[in-house]
Amino acid sequence: TVVPPKRTRCQMMMNSAIMFGREFCYAVEAGLTTPILLSIGLPSNMYSLVWVISPIMGFVLQPIIGNLSDRCSCRWGRRRPFILALSFLLLIGMTFFLNGEQIVSFLMFLCRSLIIAAICVTIIGVVIFDFSADFIEGPIRAYAMDVCDEEDTRINLFYQAVFTGAGGAFGYASGGVSWTNDTSLGRWFPTDRQVVYTAAAVVFITTCVCNLISIPEANPKKKTASKPPALKDISNSSSYPRNSYSSGSGREVVNSTGVNEKQNDEAAPNKTEDQHGEVGGLKSLVRSISSMPKDLRNLCICHLIGWIAFLCMALFFTDFVGQVVLQGDPRSPPNSRQGTLYRRGVEVGNWGLTINAAVSSIYCFLMKPLMRRVGPKTLYIFGYLTFSVGCLVVALVPSIYLVLSLSSIIGIMSATLYTVPYLLVAQYHEEYKQWKGTSKERGIGTDCALITCMIQLAQIITGLGIGALVNIVDTVTVTVITASIVAFLGMLWAAFFVKY
């Protein structure tokens, strides 16, 4: 088992900072992608399907990536190689979807139809970005759990939630400003998108570097020994359950310098058998998923329901404000009245999401003392309930002032989704380290990936379902009503089926 040394506050903040950059970029995508796709001519019955392509790949590959990171023997560590590779892909995807029209204009001699080419480049960028941004969350969280002890892990995850809210706030705010018209940046950048892209790229690269140099990972090839820590319950203790695990034969240990290492203490025949059973990790992964404990399965279902509700609101919120609240039209000429109203609605929607993310970040500070006082169950149910009520009020009374004010209430949901499930996963991991019917321990990277891939499944369901609903009822309001209903169902599931 892993017994990491105590980490300084600076180390944990640097380790968590990448969530600020990731969420900054995510907020830019969530706020601008749908308006971009509609403005360049994508049919309205297809734009929701764009969100499906990447999640399908993610739902299939996310657990495999988590399993491979559990078994990675790179000298640099198990998690950081994956974080670096996925960060590179994230930047490529963001470059494509925010600069699709410019890229096509630069390569216009290769294109027969500029509109079709711009749509294709933008969609490719969205797919690559979603793929990498979703995948990177698992290694980031597993990295934090690997290198921190019980109490530091809990603190680190709360830092991640705070940075996530703050990053989302700044990201959404960047899409709510007319940079080229209201600032002097118009002399240097042709459009607002280029300003936002430059800011997002700088922020993400900076936070990614902070993460990669924050805390050294274990060298899986070294060997020594250690004493395992005691298990503590997160609902009754201020310290966080240690997420120790081993992969293959042997156990994780820590040497005198505080570096996690691995000791192979099994017989040679067993090691040979273990190696043959772990080719690619796929066989072990399938066995892990098929024998998933009931408690973890119920948590995955609850997390899936929560993300379906949240994505119904977040991905189409700016479009809802532009079309329903301000009565604009995304296909009207930019200088027309309806075109101006829609563009104004997108900016207002981004400010609403900014308030949402800011409140989420503030709420994360309150969750630590609240966790000790009322426990994770109350916080989990409260997050779903406030989101359901907030969405229902916004749908029934689409006022611009009401939308902005209720955005603060909705922010509680994102803080809940980014915090409570992973706290529970750590507790379950201690209780279910041994898979039923096998002597092998499961990896926390796989556990985190199983929870995180619920986000991809939620995107698939949202992408396939919401577009059809919008076409049937012919109003974007259905997205907000659906979010309210699904969140209410999630609240019931969290109350009666999730173990705490």
Side-chain angles (χ1 to χ4, degrees):
T1 53
V2 181
V3 188
K6 296 292 293 182
R7 303 300 181 184
T8 66
R9 190 177 300 273
C10 179
Q11 283 181 311
M12 290 188 287
M13 292 186 70
M14 289 180 64
N15 185 265
S16 306
I18 191 172
M19 295 301 287
F20 181 94
R22 171 185 175 271
E23 199 63 20
F24 188 104
C25 299
Y26 238 146
V28 169
E29 185 210 31
L32 297 181
T33 295
T34 297
I36 289 174
L37 290 172
L38 292 176
S39 65
I40 61 179
L42 187 71
S44 59
N45 61 341
M46 293 182 61
Y47 75 95
S48 64
L49 297 179
V50 174
W51 305 107
V52 176
I53 303 173
S54 175
I56 290 177
M57 296 188 297
F59 183 69
V60 175
L61 299 177
Q62 179 83 276
I64 297 178
I65 295 295
N67 189 263
L68 290 176
S69 71
D70 279 336
R71 304 171 187 280
C72 179
S73 59
C74 177
R75 183 176 60 181
W76 202 33
R78 282 183 285 199
R79 316 300 180 186
R80 288 187 292 178
F82 290 88
I83 293 174
L84 180 62
L86 292 170
S87 296
F88 181 71
L89 288 176
L90 185 149
L91 290 170
I92 292 178
M94 188 169 62
T95 301
F96 278 20
F97 83 77
L98 283 179
N99 301 281
E101 292 177 281
Q102 286 70 29
I103 293 174
V104 169
S105 298
F106 182 73
L107 301 175
M108 58 185 306
F109 61 91
L110 299 176
C111 309
R112 294 183 179 180
S113 174
L114 295 181
I115 295 177
I116 295 177
I119 292 175
C120 291
V121 171
T122 303
I123 291 176
I124 290 172
V126 171
V127 171
I128 295 175
F129 178 89
D130 274 344
F131 175 86
S132 53
D134 290 342
F135 269 51
I136 202 173
E137 183 178 356
I140 289 172
R141 295 190 185 278
Y143 177 22
M145 294 175 183
D146 284 349
V147 299
C148 295
D149 66 8
E150 299 175 15
E151 185 175 359
D152 287 348
T153 297
R154 185 175 185 176
I155 295 173
N156 204 330
L157 288 179
F158 276 114
Y159 280 157
Q160 287 186 9
V162 171
F163 277 123
T164 296
F170 281 96
Y172 289 125
S174 68
V177 177
S178 180
W179 297 101
T180 54
N181 294 329
D182 299 340
T183 70
S184 60
L185 292 174
R187 291 180 295 178
W188 304 97
F189 297 94
T191 66
D192 291 339
R193 296 176 194 169
Q194 276 70 59
V195 178
V196 174
Y197 165 74
T198 303
V202 171
V203 167
F204 182 77
I205 292 173
T206 302
T207 56
C208 180
V209 171
C210 288
N211 173 267
L212 295 175
I213 66 175
S214 60
I215 304 174
E217 280 194 271
N219 185 338
K221 298 180 180 180
K222 294 182 181 178
K223 307 175 182 181
T224 184
S226 175
K227 181 180 178 180
L231 173 65
K232 299 183 180 179
D233 189 337
I234 62 173
S235 62
N236 300 318
S237 172
S238 60
S239 61
Y240 185 68
R242 177 60 214 141
N243 304 285
S244 56
Y245 66 92
S246 68
S247 174
S249 62
R251 61 178 181 272
E252 294 289 340
V253 294
V254 174
N255 63 13
S256 59
T257 62
V259 179
N260 304 338
E261 299 177 344
K262 191 173 195 177
Q263 180 181 24
N264 295 321
D265 55 354
E266 296 182 8
N270 291 336
K271 286 196 286 186
T272 302
E273 178 183 356
D274 195 44
Q275 290 170 355
H276 285 296
E278 292 180 8
V279 178
L282 185 57
K283 182 178 178 181
S284 174
L285 172 65
V286 172
R287 182 171 60 250
S288 297
I289 296 175
S290 63
S291 59
M292 184 188 303
K294 180 181 177 181
D295 297 333
L296 182 59
R297 186 181 300 114
N298 285 336
L299 180 62
C300 285
I301 294 173
C302 191
H303 200 54
L304 170 64
I305 296 173
W307 271 103
I308 291 175
F310 188 76
L311 290 175
C312 285
M313 184 69 171
L315 295 181
F316 305 99
F317 185 72
T318 54
D319 190 43
F320 167 78
V321 177
Q323 292 197 53
V324 177
V325 178
L326 293 186
Q327 300 294 312
D329 185 354
R331 291 178 178 79
S332 296
N335 295 326
S336 65
R337 181 177 180 275
Q338 286 192 314
T340 302
L341 285 174
Y342 181 79
R343 188 170 64 254
R344 174 60 179 162
V346 171
E347 294 177 359
V348 172
N350 274 293
W351 282 113
L353 293 173
T354 300
I355 297 172
N356 176 351
V359 171
S360 173
S361 183
I362 296 172
Y363 183 66
C364 288
F365 281 107
L366 303 177
M367 289 186 74
K368 187 175 180 180
L370 288 174
M371 185 75 70
R372 292 193 294 266
R373 182 176 295 272
V374 301
K377 181 176 182 178
T378 302
L379 291 181
Y380 211 19
I381 294 173
F382 180 70
Y384 280 79
L385 179 61
T386 55
F387 185 81
S388 178
V389 173
C391 289
L392 182 62
V393 173
V394 168
L396 296 178
V397 188
S399 163
I400 186 171
Y401 300 105
L402 194 60
V403 166
L404 291 177
S405 60
L406 288 178
S407 294
S408 59
I409 300 177
I410 298 171
I412 296 174
M413 179 65 162
S414 58
T416 302
L417 291 175
Y418 279 116
T419 306
V420 177
Y422 293 95
L423 293 173
L424 295 177
V425 165
Q427 178 175 305
Y428 296 167
H429 182 261
E430 286 293 342
E431 298 174 359
Y432 296 104
K433 284 190 296 184
Q434 295 291 336
W435 285 113
K436 183 177 180 181
T438 179
S439 60
K440 294 182 183 179
E441 296 180 8
R442 54 189 280 206
I444 193 66
T446 304
D447 278 353
C448 289
L450 289 174
I451 289 292
T452 304
C453 75
M454 293 300 104
I455 302 175
Q456 280 85 50
L457 184 56
Q459 285 182 291
I460 295 171
I461 296 172
T462 303
L464 292 176
I466 289 299
L469 284 175
V470 171
N471 287 330
I472 292 173
V473 302
D474 197 28
T475 175
V476 188
T477 306
V478 71
T479 62
V480 183
I481 296 176
T482 301
S484 177
I485 296 173
V486 174
F488 182 77
L489 297 177
M491 181 199 68
L492 296 178
W493 192 275
F496 296 107
F497 295 99
V498 175
K499 179 184 176 182
Y500 301 93

mmCIF file of all heavy atoms in Angstrom, residues 359-394:
data_model
loop_
_atom_site.group_PDB
_atom_site.id
_atom_site.type_symbol
_atom_site.label_atom_id
_atom_site.label_comp_id
_atom_site.label_asym_id
_atom_site.label_seq_id
_atom_site.Cartn_x
_atom_site.Cartn_y
_atom_site.Cartn_z
ATOM 1 N N VAL A 359 -19.938 30.743 -8.177
ATOM 2 C CA VAL A 359 -20.617 30.224 -6.992
ATOM 3 C C VAL A 359 -20.167 28.799 -6.703
ATOM 4 O O VAL A 359 -20.004 28.400 -5.544
ATOM 5 C CB VAL A 359 -22.146 30.279 -7.181
ATOM 6 C CG1 VAL A 359 -22.868 29.544 -6.064
ATOM 7 C CG2 VAL A 359 -22.605 31.722 -7.237
ATOM 8 N N SER A 360 -19.935 28.036 -7.760
ATOM 9 C CA SER A 360 -19.428 26.674 -7.587
ATOM 10 C C SER A 360 -18.101 26.679 -6.860
ATOM 11 O O SER A 360 -17.864 25.873 -5.945
ATOM 12 C CB SER A 360 -19.276 25.996 -8.959
ATOM 13 O OG SER A 360 -18.642 24.746 -8.842
ATOM 14 N N SER A 361 -17.216 27.596 -7.239
ATOM 15 C CA SER A 361 -15.905 27.686 -6.595
ATOM 16 C C SER A 361 -16.038 28.087 -5.127
ATOM 17 O O SER A 361 -15.375 27.520 -4.248
ATOM 18 C CB SER A 361 -15.034 28.699 -7.339
ATOM 19 O OG SER A 361 -13.743 28.759 -6.783
ATOM 20 N N ILE A 362 -16.911 29.060 -4.853
ATOM 21 C CA ILE A 362 -17.118 29.503 -3.464
ATOM 22 C C ILE A 362 -17.741 28.388 -2.632
ATOM 23 O O ILE A 362 -17.353 28.152 -1.481
ATOM 24 C CB ILE A 362 -18.004 30.764 -3.441
ATOM 25 C CG1 ILE A 362 -17.285 31.930 -4.142
ATOM 26 C CG2 ILE A 362 -18.376 31.142 -2.016
ATOM 27 C CD1 ILE A 362 -18.168 33.148 -4.343
ATOM 28 N N TYR A 363 -18.698 27.695 -3.226
ATOM 29 C CA TYR A 363 -19.375 26.617 -2.508
ATOM 30 C C TYR A 363 -18.404 25.495 -2.120
ATOM 31 O O TYR A 363 -18.581 24.842 -1.090
ATOM 32 C CB TYR A 363 -20.500 26.067 -3.378
ATOM 33 C CG TYR A 363 -21.329 24.988 -2.717
ATOM 34 C CD1 TYR A 363 -22.128 25.265 -1.621
ATOM 35 C CD2 TYR A 363 -21.328 23.681 -3.212
ATOM 36 C CE1 TYR A 363 -22.903 24.281 -1.018
ATOM 37 C CE2 TYR A 363 -22.100 22.694 -2.622
ATOM 38 C CZ TYR A 363 -22.880 23.000 -1.532
ATOM 39 O OH TYR A 363 -23.639 22.018 -0.936
ATOM 40 N N CYS A 364 -17.385 25.300 -2.957
ATOM 41 C CA CYS A 364 -16.393 24.270 -2.641
ATOM 42 C C CYS A 364 -15.660 24.574 -1.332
ATOM 43 O O CYS A 364 -15.292 23.656 -0.598
ATOM 44 C CB CYS A 364 -15.380 24.140 -3.783
ATOM 45 S SG CYS A 364 -16.056 23.372 -5.260
ATOM 46 N N PHE A 365 -15.435 25.858 -1.053
ATOM 47 C CA PHE A 365 -14.810 26.218 0.215
ATOM 48 C C PHE A 365 -15.701 25.833 1.394
ATOM 49 O O PHE A 365 -15.215 25.471 2.468
ATOM 50 C CB PHE A 365 -14.532 27.724 0.260
ATOM 51 C CG PHE A 365 -13.316 28.137 -0.499
ATOM 52 C CD1 PHE A 365 -13.421 28.818 -1.700
ATOM 53 C CD2 PHE A 365 -12.045 27.858 -0.022
ATOM 54 C CE1 PHE A 365 -12.300 29.210 -2.405
ATOM 55 C CE2 PHE A 365 -10.915 28.242 -0.714
ATOM 56 C CZ PHE A 365 -11.045 28.921 -1.911
ATOM 57 N N LEU A 366 -17.017 25.924 1.190
ATOM 58 C CA LEU A 366 -17.949 25.618 2.266
ATOM 59 C C LEU A 366 -18.180 24.122 2.433
ATOM 60 O O LEU A 366 -18.647 23.677 3.490
ATOM 61 C CB LEU A 366 -19.292 26.309 1.995
ATOM 62 C CG LEU A 366 -19.252 27.828 1.827
ATOM 63 C CD1 LEU A 366 -20.645 28.344 1.481
ATOM 64 C CD2 LEU A 366 -18.729 28.503 3.091
ATOM 65 N N MET A 367 -17.865 23.344 1.398
ATOM 66 C CA MET A 367 -18.176 21.918 1.437
ATOM 67 C C MET A 367 -17.335 21.172 2.469
ATOM 68 O O MET A 367 -17.809 20.190 3.060
ATOM 69 C CB MET A 367 -17.976 21.286 0.059
ATOM 70 C CG MET A 367 -19.018 21.689 -0.951
ATOM 71 S SD MET A 367 -18.869 20.801 -2.511
ATOM 72 C CE MET A 367 -19.500 19.191 -2.027
ATOM 73 N N LYS A 368 -16.111 21.630 2.706
ATOM 74 C CA LYS A 368 -15.259 20.906 3.651
ATOM 75 C C LYS A 368 -15.842 20.919 5.061
ATOM 76 O O LYS A 368 -16.012 19.846 5.665
ATOM 77 C CB LYS A 368 -13.849 21.497 3.631
ATOM 78 C CG LYS A 368 -12.856 20.710 4.463
ATOM 79 C CD LYS A 368 -11.458 21.275 4.314
ATOM 80 C CE LYS A 368 -10.461 20.476 5.143
ATOM 81 N NZ LYS A 368 -9.096 21.010 5.009
ATOM 82 N N PRO A 369 -16.198 22.096 5.632
ATOM 83 C CA PRO A 369 -16.844 22.060 6.950
ATOM 84 C C PRO A 369 -18.238 21.446 6.916
ATOM 85 O O PRO A 369 -18.655 20.778 7.866
ATOM 86 C CB PRO A 369 -16.892 23.541 7.361
ATOM 87 C CG PRO A 369 -16.795 24.302 6.093
ATOM 88 C CD PRO A 369 -15.937 23.489 5.190
ATOM 89 N N LEU A 370 -18.964 21.647 5.806
ATOM 90 C CA LEU A 370 -20.295 21.056 5.709
ATOM 91 C C LEU A 370 -20.235 19.537 5.650
ATOM 92 O O LEU A 370 -21.135 18.850 6.166
ATOM 93 C CB LEU A 370 -21.017 21.600 4.464
ATOM 94 C CG LEU A 370 -21.487 23.050 4.521
ATOM 95 C CD1 LEU A 370 -22.038 23.488 3.173
ATOM 96 C CD2 LEU A 370 -22.531 23.232 5.611
ATOM 97 N N MET A 371 -19.174 19.016 5.025
ATOM 98 C CA MET A 371 -19.018 17.573 4.938
ATOM 99 C C MET A 371 -18.920 16.952 6.324
ATOM 100 O O MET A 371 -19.498 15.902 6.596
ATOM 101 C CB MET A 371 -17.775 17.237 4.115
ATOM 102 C CG MET A 371 -17.573 15.756 3.846
ATOM 103 S SD MET A 371 -18.696 15.116 2.594
ATOM 104 C CE MET A 371 -18.038 15.895 1.124
ATOM 105 N N ARG A 372 -18.186 17.626 7.206
ATOM 106 C CA ARG A 372 -18.038 17.104 8.565
ATOM 107 C C ARG A 372 -19.324 17.282 9.371
ATOM 108 O O ARG A 372 -19.623 16.476 10.247
ATOM 109 C CB ARG A 372 -16.883 17.812 9.275
ATOM 110 C CG ARG A 372 -15.518 17.484 8.705
ATOM 111 C CD ARG A 372 -14.416 17.946 9.647
ATOM 112 N NE ARG A 372 -14.361 19.393 9.764
ATOM 113 C CZ ARG A 372 -13.569 20.170 9.034
ATOM 114 N NH1 ARG A 372 -12.781 19.630 8.121
ATOM 115 N NH2 ARG A 372 -13.570 21.483 9.209
ATOM 116 N N ARG A 373 -20.081 18.319 9.051
ATOM 117 C CA ARG A 373 -21.264 18.628 9.862
ATOM 118 C C ARG A 373 -22.483 17.810 9.433
ATOM 119 O O ARG A 373 -23.196 17.259 10.281
ATOM 120 C CB ARG A 373 -21.569 20.126 9.781
ATOM 121 C CG ARG A 373 -22.754 20.563 10.638
ATOM 122 C CD ARG A 373 -22.930 22.065 10.567
ATOM 123 N NE ARG A 373 -21.784 22.742 11.159
ATOM 124 C CZ ARG A 373 -21.683 23.049 12.444
ATOM 125 N NH1 ARG A 373 -22.660 22.713 13.276
ATOM 126 N NH2 ARG A 373 -20.622 23.678 12.903
ATOM 127 N N VAL A 374 -22.752 17.773 8.129
ATOM 128 C CA VAL A 374 -23.983 17.119 7.659
ATOM 129 C C VAL A 374 -23.721 15.833 6.883
ATOM 130 O O VAL A 374 -24.658 15.069 6.621
ATOM 131 C CB VAL A 374 -24.812 18.091 6.789
ATOM 132 C CG1 VAL A 374 -25.172 19.327 7.581
ATOM 133 C CG2 VAL A 374 -24.061 18.476 5.507
ATOM 134 N N GLY A 375 -22.469 15.581 6.457
ATOM 135 C CA GLY A 375 -22.154 14.357 5.748
ATOM 136 C C GLY A 375 -22.358 14.474 4.246
ATOM 137 O O GLY A 375 -23.043 15.382 3.753
ATOM 138 N N PRO A 376 -21.781 13.550 3.470
ATOM 139 C CA PRO A 376 -21.866 13.624 2.002
ATOM 140 C C PRO A 376 -23.269 13.397 1.453
ATOM 141 O O PRO A 376 -23.603 13.911 0.397
ATOM 142 C CB PRO A 376 -20.907 12.517 1.542
ATOM 143 C CG PRO A 376 -20.824 11.573 2.690
ATOM 144 C CD PRO A 376 -20.960 12.414 3.924
ATOM 145 N N LYS A 377 -24.107 12.622 2.150
ATOM 146 C CA LYS A 377 -25.444 12.334 1.622
ATOM 147 C C LYS A 377 -26.275 13.606 1.494
ATOM 148 O O LYS A 377 -26.891 13.858 0.448
ATOM 149 C CB LYS A 377 -26.151 11.327 2.531
ATOM 150 C CG LYS A 377 -27.548 10.958 2.040
ATOM 151 C CD LYS A 377 -28.177 9.883 2.906
ATOM 152 C CE LYS A 377 -29.551 9.489 2.361
ATOM 153 N NZ LYS A 377 -30.181 8.405 3.153
ATOM 154 N N THR A 378 -26.281 14.409 2.536
ATOM 155 C CA THR A 378 -27.059 15.652 2.504
ATOM 156 C C THR A 378 -26.559 16.589 1.420
ATOM 157 O O THR A 378 -27.350 17.206 0.691
ATOM 158 C CB THR A 378 -27.000 16.346 3.870
ATOM 159 O OG1 THR A 378 -27.493 15.459 4.880
ATOM 160 C CG2 THR A 378 -27.822 17.622 3.873
ATOM 161 N N LEU A 379 -25.237 16.708 1.291
ATOM 162 C CA LEU A 379 -24.672 17.583 0.263
ATOM 163 C C LEU A 379 -25.012 17.091 -1.138
ATOM 164 O O LEU A 379 -25.302 17.889 -2.041
ATOM 165 C CB LEU A 379 -23.151 17.660 0.436
ATOM 166 C CG LEU A 379 -22.650 18.393 1.685
ATOM 167 C CD1 LEU A 379 -21.127 18.400 1.713
ATOM 168 C CD2 LEU A 379 -23.171 19.820 1.721
ATOM 169 N N TYR A 380 -24.958 15.771 -1.327
ATOM 170 C CA TYR A 380 -25.250 15.200 -2.641
ATOM 171 C C TYR A 380 -26.701 15.479 -3.038
ATOM 172 O O TYR A 380 -26.991 15.938 -4.154
ATOM 173 C CB TYR A 380 -24.985 13.697 -2.601
ATOM 174 C CG TYR A 380 -24.531 13.093 -3.910
ATOM 175 C CD1 TYR A 380 -24.007 13.880 -4.932
ATOM 176 C CD2 TYR A 380 -24.621 11.722 -4.128
ATOM 177 C CE1 TYR A 380 -23.589 13.326 -6.125
ATOM 178 C CE2 TYR A 380 -24.194 11.148 -5.313
ATOM 179 C CZ TYR A 380 -23.688 11.951 -6.310
ATOM 180 O OH TYR A 380 -23.272 11.391 -7.483
ATOM 181 N N ILE A 381 -27.630 15.203 -2.128
ATOM 182 C CA ILE A 381 -29.050 15.416 -2.413
ATOM 183 C C ILE A 381 -29.351 16.907 -2.601
ATOM 184 O O ILE A 381 -30.105 17.295 -3.505
ATOM 185 C CB ILE A 381 -29.904 14.833 -1.268
ATOM 186 C CG1 ILE A 381 -29.749 13.312 -1.219
ATOM 187 C CG2 ILE A 381 -31.372 15.209 -1.438
ATOM 188 C CD1 ILE A 381 -30.414 12.668 -0.024
ATOM 189 N N PHE A 382 -28.741 17.751 -1.779
ATOM 190 C CA PHE A 382 -28.969 19.190 -1.865
ATOM 191 C C PHE A 382 -28.527 19.745 -3.218
ATOM 192 O O PHE A 382 -29.197 20.600 -3.804
ATOM 193 C CB PHE A 382 -28.223 19.893 -0.734
ATOM 194 C CG PHE A 382 -28.393 21.386 -0.727
ATOM 195 C CD1 PHE A 382 -29.598 21.972 -0.390
ATOM 196 C CD2 PHE A 382 -27.322 22.214 -1.058
ATOM 197 C CE1 PHE A 382 -29.746 23.344 -0.388
ATOM 198 C CE2 PHE A 382 -27.465 23.586 -1.066
ATOM 199 C CZ PHE A 382 -28.679 24.164 -0.731
ATOM 200 N N GLY A 383 -27.390 19.252 -3.741
ATOM 201 C CA GLY A 383 -26.908 19.715 -5.037
ATOM 202 C C GLY A 383 -27.893 19.413 -6.151
ATOM 203 O O GLY A 383 -28.204 20.280 -6.996
ATOM 204 N N TYR A 384 -28.426 18.196 -6.171
ATOM 205 C CA TYR A 384 -29.398 17.821 -7.197
ATOM 206 C C TYR A 384 -30.702 18.619 -7.049
ATOM 207 O O TYR A 384 -31.301 19.045 -8.041
ATOM 208 C CB TYR A 384 -29.698 16.323 -7.107
ATOM 209 C CG TYR A 384 -28.663 15.432 -7.753
ATOM 210 C CD1 TYR A 384 -27.472 15.138 -7.109
ATOM 211 C CD2 TYR A 384 -28.876 14.885 -9.008
ATOM 212 C CE1 TYR A 384 -26.517 14.322 -7.698
ATOM 213 C CE2 TYR A 384 -27.939 14.065 -9.615
ATOM 214 C CZ TYR A 384 -26.760 13.792 -8.949
ATOM 215 O OH TYR A 384 -25.815 12.983 -9.544
ATOM 216 N N LEU A 385 -31.153 18.799 -5.812
ATOM 217 C CA LEU A 385 -32.425 19.480 -5.579
ATOM 218 C C LEU A 385 -32.374 20.944 -6.012
ATOM 219 O O LEU A 385 -33.289 21.435 -6.690
ATOM 220 C CB LEU A 385 -32.791 19.385 -4.098
ATOM 221 C CG LEU A 385 -34.089 20.082 -3.681
ATOM 222 C CD1 LEU A 385 -35.285 19.476 -4.411
ATOM 223 C CD2 LEU A 385 -34.289 19.998 -2.169
ATOM 224 N N THR A 386 -31.324 21.655 -5.635
ATOM 225 C CA THR A 386 -31.223 23.067 -6.019
ATOM 226 C C THR A 386 -31.135 23.232 -7.533
ATOM 227 O O THR A 386 -31.727 24.159 -8.100
ATOM 228 C CB THR A 386 -29.995 23.718 -5.369
ATOM 229 O OG1 THR A 386 -28.818 22.961 -5.694
ATOM 230 C CG2 THR A 386 -30.139 23.786 -3.868
ATOM 231 N N PHE A 387 -30.442 22.324 -8.179
ATOM 232 C CA PHE A 387 -30.328 22.397 -9.640
ATOM 233 C C PHE A 387 -31.689 22.172 -10.292
ATOM 234 O O PHE A 387 -32.068 22.883 -11.234
ATOM 235 C CB PHE A 387 -29.326 21.352 -10.127
ATOM 236 C CG PHE A 387 -29.049 21.411 -11.601
ATOM 237 C CD1 PHE A 387 -28.152 22.332 -12.121
ATOM 238 C CD2 PHE A 387 -29.679 20.541 -12.474
ATOM 239 C CE1 PHE A 387 -27.898 22.381 -13.485
ATOM 240 C CE2 PHE A 387 -29.430 20.588 -13.828
ATOM 241 C CZ PHE A 387 -28.540 21.507 -14.337
ATOM 242 N N SER A 388 -32.423 21.178 -9.810
ATOM 243 C CA SER A 388 -33.741 20.881 -10.384
ATOM 244 C C SER A 388 -34.691 22.064 -10.236
ATOM 245 O O SER A 388 -35.358 22.469 -11.199
ATOM 246 C CB SER A 388 -34.327 19.642 -9.694
ATOM 247 O OG SER A 388 -35.614 19.353 -10.185
ATOM 248 N N VAL A 389 -34.738 22.649 -9.058
ATOM 249 C CA VAL A 389 -35.629 23.790 -8.813
ATOM 250 C C VAL A 389 -35.201 25.002 -9.642
ATOM 251 O O VAL A 389 -36.039 25.690 -10.248
ATOM 252 C CB VAL A 389 -35.658 24.137 -7.313
ATOM 253 C CG1 VAL A 389 -36.446 25.422 -7.076
ATOM 254 C CG2 VAL A 389 -36.254 22.988 -6.512
ATOM 255 N N GLY A 390 -33.902 25.264 -9.688
ATOM 256 C CA GLY A 390 -33.408 26.413 -10.443
ATOM 257 C C GLY A 390 -33.738 26.320 -11.917
ATOM 258 O O GLY A 390 -34.190 27.295 -12.540
ATOM 259 N N CYS A 391 -33.528 25.144 -12.513
ATOM 260 C CA CYS A 391 -33.829 24.969 -13.939
ATOM 261 C C CYS A 391 -35.319 25.124 -14.218
ATOM 262 O O CYS A 391 -35.719 25.706 -15.234
ATOM 263 C CB CYS A 391 -33.353 23.595 -14.407
ATOM 264 S SG CYS A 391 -31.563 23.416 -14.509
ATOM 265 N N LEU A 392 -36.143 24.600 -13.334
ATOM 266 C CA LEU A 392 -37.594 24.697 -13.533
ATOM 267 C C LEU A 392 -38.052 26.152 -13.528
ATOM 268 O O LEU A 392 -38.851 26.573 -14.383
ATOM 269 C CB LEU A 392 -38.313 23.907 -12.443
ATOM 270 C CG LEU A 392 -39.842 23.881 -12.538
ATOM 271 C CD1 LEU A 392 -40.285 23.217 -13.833
ATOM 272 C CD2 LEU A 392 -40.437 23.149 -11.342
ATOM 273 N N VAL A 393 -37.535 26.940 -12.604
ATOM 274 C CA VAL A 393 -37.917 28.354 -12.530
ATOM 275 C C VAL A 393 -37.451 29.105 -13.776
ATOM 276 O O VAL A 393 -38.194 29.925 -14.336
ATOM 277 C CB VAL A 393 -37.345 28.992 -11.249
ATOM 278 C CG1 VAL A 393 -37.597 30.492 -11.243
ATOM 279 C CG2 VAL A 393 -37.950 28.352 -10.017
ATOM 280 N N VAL A 394 -36.228 28.826 -14.236
ATOM 281 C CA VAL A 394 -35.712 29.484 -15.438
ATOM 282 C C VAL A 394 -36.575 29.153 -16.650
ATOM 283 O O VAL A 394 -36.862 30.018 -17.498
ATOM 284 C CB VAL A 394 -34.245 29.070 -15.681
ATOM 285 C CG1 VAL A 394 -33.792 29.506 -17.074
ATOM 286 C CG2 VAL A 394 -33.345 29.682 -14.633
#
